[in-house]
Amino acid sequence: MFSKSIILLLSLMIIVSLLSSEEVSEAGNKLLKEIDRNLSPEAFESLRKIINVEPNGTTKDFVLYALKKGNDKMVTTFLSPKSEVGRSTLRLDENMWLYIPNVGKPMRITSLQSVIGGIFNNSDIMQLDYIAEYDVIEMVDDNSNKLLTLKAKTHNVAYDKLKMWVNTKHKTPEKIECYTASGMLIKTLRFKEIKDFGYGIIRPSVLETDSPLHKGYKAVMIYAEMKPRKIDDEVFTLNYMSKVKDLRN
Amino acid sequence: MRKILSNISVSVILFLAGLLFAEDYSFDFEEYQKKPYEYVGTIQVQSDFSKFNHSSELYKLSFLNKEKKKCSDSYLAFLQLKGSYEISEFKLYADIKDQLAYTINDEFDNTFSIYEAFINADISTNIDLLVGKKSIKWGKGYIWNPVSFVGRQKDINDVDAGLEGFWMVKLDYVKSLSGALQNYTITPVIIPVKGEINEDFAGEDGFNFILNNYLLMSDTDIDFYLFYHDSDLRKLGADFARNIFPNWEIHAEYVFEKKLTTISWDSNSSLESDTTDGHHYLFGTRILFETNTTLIAEYFHNDAGFDKDQMSNFFETIEYAISQDPSLMAGIKQYQGENFNSQFLMRDYLYIKLSHPEPFDILYFTPSIFVLYNLNDKSSMAGGEFSYSRFENLSLKMKYNLLLGVDNTEFGEKTNSGKLSLQMGYTF
């Protein structure tokens, strides 16, 4: 009789914890969707500067023009420095191609590589909606923030697990720690300087990153402009990679 | 009073410290708004230092009756200007290059080339029409692209270098879809050959009609190609590329070529010609390891190449001409000029390249090593490259190639046994 009660109690506990974890996951994913929409509209164009900072303080700057549509389409092209102008990267879901004007044809690359060198890899620069790649598996209060733990939906993404501290006022990330499948911290992203970009877009305008694997090195991404834009699907094809910069208004 | 001064001093120090350490994240994005015109220029200088291979037949042929030198140095500089101007849906584009070379014969050689000059009309997001001179590169291979029906051969010493185009009319129709077929593109190209127009595209006058059909299907790039000269089907081909894992890409190319003619020397030092249908193919892979090292490996077969005996016969003919029958010399030199232009002279090769960007946290520095192994005669070309792009718009490269092989082999009979190249480019 006693053992039957214990089994019943344990089963009840498991069911309750499963139900509550499902509730957490549902609420967490709902919050993650809101975060995605606050970070960018469904379809937009943006202008960004990336600065690689070395331990001795020397820097190298890049200016990028980016277009994104839906959950799975993004294309970027360099506008500066002159030596990089026209170098474009296209992402369609997990497929990624690099086009270098001199080389003259797109070639497949991976999200783990970096087209600019430094700490930002292609996945950081070509970030799709988080909800497209991750599920929230845990959501806890952390001081005034929410702390979400995100698990990759597939093995095809750059980071297996993310810990995301969310600014509850603006519902945007404040800090994201990126982990490998073995649990090693490989990168920390810090979102700073909330800015009103117009069109209802209020989000951090500065993204800083550093990595314990490259001590003393830092990279910064600054968003100068972001606005919604109607974009044809054909813009996200290999044929268009050589003329992405012509799409600026 | 002293306290006030002290407070002011502290405030000034804090203000200055703030100025010094504040992170300035502002930038003038107006500067990057679209303009109707664009331009980019490149100046590049290059020095090559070669060590001669005195025992090679090609060295003996090139330096017959000349003073034997141990080494040679050559220098070149070029200026390349690219510019475009946009008027409504039309874009005018030009790419010109002027190259000045100081050769091993102590001569200056100036070459001016129009790499590209075309007008492009964006009729709609789906349709694009181009008329003029344009460089097009097709194919998935890194070192060789047999499907590149409308482009020139890559330079195996600089596979990423820009190439001169051909005069053409090209139309692109592109369509995105949802489902397994994610998008497709149809690209018909017409390349006329008449007199001096596109004279190096094909040996005979006429119209060349080339068709490329690209599909992105189930995350795989697939292309089909057709090549007609007037109404004769000359070549057909296909290629594909796909990531089987996020860090592991595979690719292949195949071409069937009709009436492929090979002219070679037989064992009696006479020329013989053979015309037959041929097959060219390539299999390759690109893997990014956890260590951030990238491996590129490719095997390729070129039916237009010589077999081991044909190559050996050629070198034996040179030896025979030098030692016994100088009357053959003019014919050999003409033959070499007409048939030794290909980057790959023989049939089967294996290419392996390893590159590792930013070792020891040295940003913008990429060392790489490669080997091109001739599977027919067991000769090879191996080498290394260091590239550095730390300084804005400035690129630095150092390359070293070593040519290895015994007598009567492709790389063993090259004029040089090794070459060091230093390259500096500035973009403005």
Side-chain angles (χ1 to χ4, degrees), chain A residues 54 58 60 82-83 95 97 102-103 105 108 110 117 208 214 217-218 232 234 243 245-246 248, chain B residues 23 25 32 34 38-39 91 122 125 128 137 139 141 176 219 221 243 246 358 361 364 389-390 393:
Chain A
E54 292 178 59
T58 53
K60 190 171 180 185
K82 276 271 186 182
S83 57
N95 300 289
W97 297 265
N102 248 4
V103 176
K105 62 171 184 174
R108 281 182 172 257
T110 82
E208 277 184 4
H214 307 281
Y217 290 85
K218 192 169 89 166
D232 289 327
E234 283 73 20
K243 39 186 189 177
K245 61 182 167 35
D246 298 341
R248 284 171 295 161
Chain B
E23 290 159 307
Y25 290 143
Y32 300 101
K34 191 180 171 187
E38 281 181 340
Y39 68 89
K91 191 167 188 177
D122 268 328
T125 320
D128 188 284
K137 294 178 180 173
S176 283
D219 295 327
D221 294 311
N243 279 68
E358 304 178 348
D361 273 346
Y364 319 113
S389 57
R390 162 70 193 86
N393 296 322

Side-chain angles (χ1 to χ4, degrees), chain A:
Chain A
M1 181 67 191
F2 182 69
S3 61
K4 270 187 183 173
S5 303
I6 287 177
I7 290 166
L8 196 69
L9 193 67
L10 279 172
S11 308
L12 216 67
M13 280 168 71
I14 290 166
I15 290 164
V16 167
S17 70
L18 278 175
L19 282 174
S20 62
S21 77
E22 206 167 285
E23 253 174 51
V24 164
S25 151
E26 205 174 296
N29 283 334
K30 194 176 163 225
L31 176 60
L32 194 60
K33 275 182 196 167
E34 282 185 73
I35 292 166
D36 282 328
R37 277 303 62 79
N38 291 338
L39 284 175
S40 65
E42 287 260 6
F44 72 89
E45 63 177 347
S46 76
L47 200 59
R48 313 170 192 179
K49 181 186 249 188
I50 294 173
I51 309 170
N52 280 339
V53 186
E54 292 178 59
N56 62 9
T58 53
T59 59
K60 190 171 180 185
D61 299 357
F62 303 85
V63 177
L64 268 180
Y65 173 66
L67 291 155
K68 178 175 168 275
K69 186 177 183 181
N71 268 344
D72 61 346
K73 298 181 186 71
M74 187 164 189
V75 66
T76 62
T77 194
F78 285 97
L79 304 178
S80 173
K82 276 271 186 182
S83 57
E84 308 295 323
V85 172
R87 183 186 278 245
S88 306
T89 313
L90 170 68
R91 182 170 183 185
L92 289 178
D93 208 354
E94 292 312 323
N95 300 289
M96 217 179 256
W97 297 265
L98 172 68
Y99 172 84
I100 301 171
N102 248 4
V103 176
K105 62 171 184 174
M107 59 178 181
R108 281 182 172 257
I109 53 169
T110 82
S111 58
L112 303 164
Q113 287 171 291
S114 175
V115 289
I116 55 165
I119 298 177
F120 278 129
N121 62 24
N122 298 339
S123 166
D124 301 324
I125 297 167
M126 308 284 290
Q127 179 63 54
L128 301 173
D129 285 358
Y130 287 104
I131 197 71
E133 297 184 317
Y134 294 94
D135 282 321
V136 175
I137 55 166
E138 195 181 6
M139 180 167 68
V140 292
D141 290 326
D142 183 71
N143 295 322
S144 60
N145 292 333
K146 287 263 186 226
L147 170 58
L148 304 183
T149 304
L150 277 59
K151 177 83 179 143
K153 289 179 177 175
T154 68
H155 296 296
N156 297 343
V157 292
Y159 314 114
D160 182 67
K161 199 171 93 174
L162 302 178
K163 281 190 172 180
M164 179 188 282
W165 282 262
V166 182
N167 176 326
T168 42
K169 185 184 167 196
H170 294 289
K171 290 190 179 165
T172 54
E174 279 200 342
K175 187 172 90 169
I176 296 177
E177 288 180 350
C178 310
Y179 294 86
T180 61
S182 61
M184 184 173 70
L185 173 67
I186 48 173
K187 192 176 288 178
T188 303
L189 304 163
R190 293 183 178 80
F191 295 74
K192 295 178 170 180
E193 301 194 17
I194 299 276
K195 180 178 164 182
D196 187 345
F197 288 87
Y199 311 98
I201 306 165
I202 301 168
R203 56 154 291 159
S205 61
V206 174
L207 174 56
E208 277 184 4
T209 184
D210 53 54
S211 165
L213 306 176
H214 307 281
K215 286 205 168 86
Y217 290 85
K218 192 169 89 166
V220 185
M221 182 148 46
I222 306 154
Y223 288 77
E225 199 183 38
M226 180 180 275
K227 55 187 176 193
R229 179 165 174 180
K230 195 168 176 272
I231 314 165
D232 289 327
D233 285 345
E234 283 73 20
V235 165
F236 304 93
T237 56
L238 301 190
N239 271 57
Y240 244 90
M241 290 184 78
S242 60
K243 39 186 189 177
V244 177
K245 61 182 167 35
D246 298 341
L247 293 166
R248 284 171 295 161
N249 287 317

Side-chain angles (χ1 to χ4, degrees), chain B residues 108-365:
Chain B
F108 282 101
D109 179 24
N110 188 56
T111 317
F112 174 79
S113 313
I114 297 172
Y115 266 42
E116 293 187 318
F118 61 83
I119 182 164
N120 195 86
D122 268 328
I123 296 165
S124 70
T125 320
N126 304 89
I127 303 172
D128 188 284
L129 177 70
L130 180 147
V131 180
K133 191 173 187 182
K134 171 79 177 151
S135 172
I136 295 176
K137 294 178 180 173
W138 285 339
K140 304 290 182 267
Y142 176 78
I143 189 77
W144 190 50
N145 299 109
V147 299
S148 189
F149 293 170
V150 293
R152 289 169 202 273
Q153 287 187 71
K154 286 174 176 173
D155 177 356
I156 55 171
N157 293 308
D158 191 357
V159 289
D160 292 342
L163 301 172
E164 189 178 341
F166 291 107
W167 296 96
M168 64 178 69
V169 178
K170 177 172 85 80
L171 186 81
D172 285 302
Y173 175 77
V174 56
K175 182 75 188 158
S176 283
L177 302 156
S178 52
L181 179 59
Q182 292 150 284
N183 66 64
Y184 73 87
T185 307
I186 297 172
T187 306
V189 182
I190 297 170
I191 299 185
V193 178
K194 174 85 178 158
E196 288 184 0
I197 297 170
N198 295 327
E199 62 180 340
D200 47 352
F201 181 79
E204 46 196 319
D205 285 2
F207 281 94
N208 298 285
F209 176 76
I210 300 116
L211 185 71
N212 168 223
N213 186 8
Y214 164 78
L215 315 167
L216 174 61
M217 192 151 71
S218 304
D219 295 327
T220 308
D221 294 311
I222 303 166
D223 288 276
F224 298 101
Y225 304 89
L226 278 176
F227 183 137
Y228 278 88
H229 177 78
D230 291 333
S231 56
D232 294 340
L233 175 68
R234 291 286 169 90
K235 294 184 208 177
L236 55 91
D239 69 29
F240 88 91
R242 179 186 171 82
N243 279 68
I244 50 172
F245 294 105
N247 62 329
W248 189 349
E249 179 259 16
I250 54 168
H251 56 262
E253 292 185 27
Y254 169 76
V255 169
F256 169 73
E257 185 171 359
K258 286 179 82 177
K259 295 176 189 165
L260 181 64
T261 302
T262 314
I263 302 166
S264 59
W265 296 86
D266 63 17
S267 53
N268 301 316
S269 297
S270 303
L271 280 173
E272 61 179 11
S273 175
D274 180 37
T275 300
T276 178
D277 294 344
H279 306 267
H280 317 293
Y281 43 86
L282 172 146
F283 305 100
T285 187
R286 189 189 295 248
I287 306 169
L288 174 69
F289 295 103
E290 272 187 28
T291 54
N292 204 23
T293 301
T294 297
L295 165 77
I296 297 171
E298 286 179 350
Y299 160 75
F300 53 97
H301 174 83
N302 164 30
D303 248 358
F306 305 117
D307 64 25
K308 195 181 169 189
D309 290 339
Q310 289 168 329
M311 198 64 162
S312 185
N313 289 342
F314 173 64
F315 295 123
E316 280 166 9
T317 303
I318 298 174
E319 193 181 358
Y320 175 72
I322 291 171
S323 60
Q324 297 182 47
D325 188 357
S327 66
L328 285 171
M329 208 62 82
I332 290 172
K333 283 194 174 176
Q334 189 189 344
Y335 172 82
Q336 189 194 7
E338 288 169 1
N339 297 281
F340 269 54
N341 299 318
S342 170
Q343 299 282 335
F344 302 103
L345 297 171
M346 295 183 72
R347 292 191 178 169
D348 299 282
Y349 293 88
L350 186 66
Y351 177 81
I352 293 171
K353 182 179 178 182
L354 282 166
S355 63
H356 186 90
E358 304 178 348
F360 316 111
D361 273 346
I362 307 170
L363 237 54
Y364 319 113
F365 173 60

Side-chain angles (χ1 to χ4, degrees), chain B residues 3-59:
Chain B
K3 198 177 172 185
I4 292 169
L5 281 174
S6 157
N7 282 345
I8 290 171
S9 309
V10 168
S11 304
V12 168
I13 289 166
L14 285 175
F15 176 71
L16 288 174
L19 279 182
L20 276 173
F21 296 104
E23 290 159 307
D24 180 14
Y25 290 143
S26 62
F27 82 96
D28 178 16
F29 65 89
E30 294 294 329
E31 194 187 326
Y32 300 101
Q33 298 304 303
K34 191 180 171 187
K35 297 180 183 78
Y37 62 88
E38 281 181 340
Y39 68 89
V40 61
T42 307
I43 294 175
Q44 188 167 300
V45 288
Q46 183 174 325
S47 317
D48 294 327
F49 306 95
S50 307
K51 189 179 176 214
F52 286 129
N53 177 5
H54 290 158
S55 62
S56 101
E57 298 303 333
L58 289 181
Y59 174 84

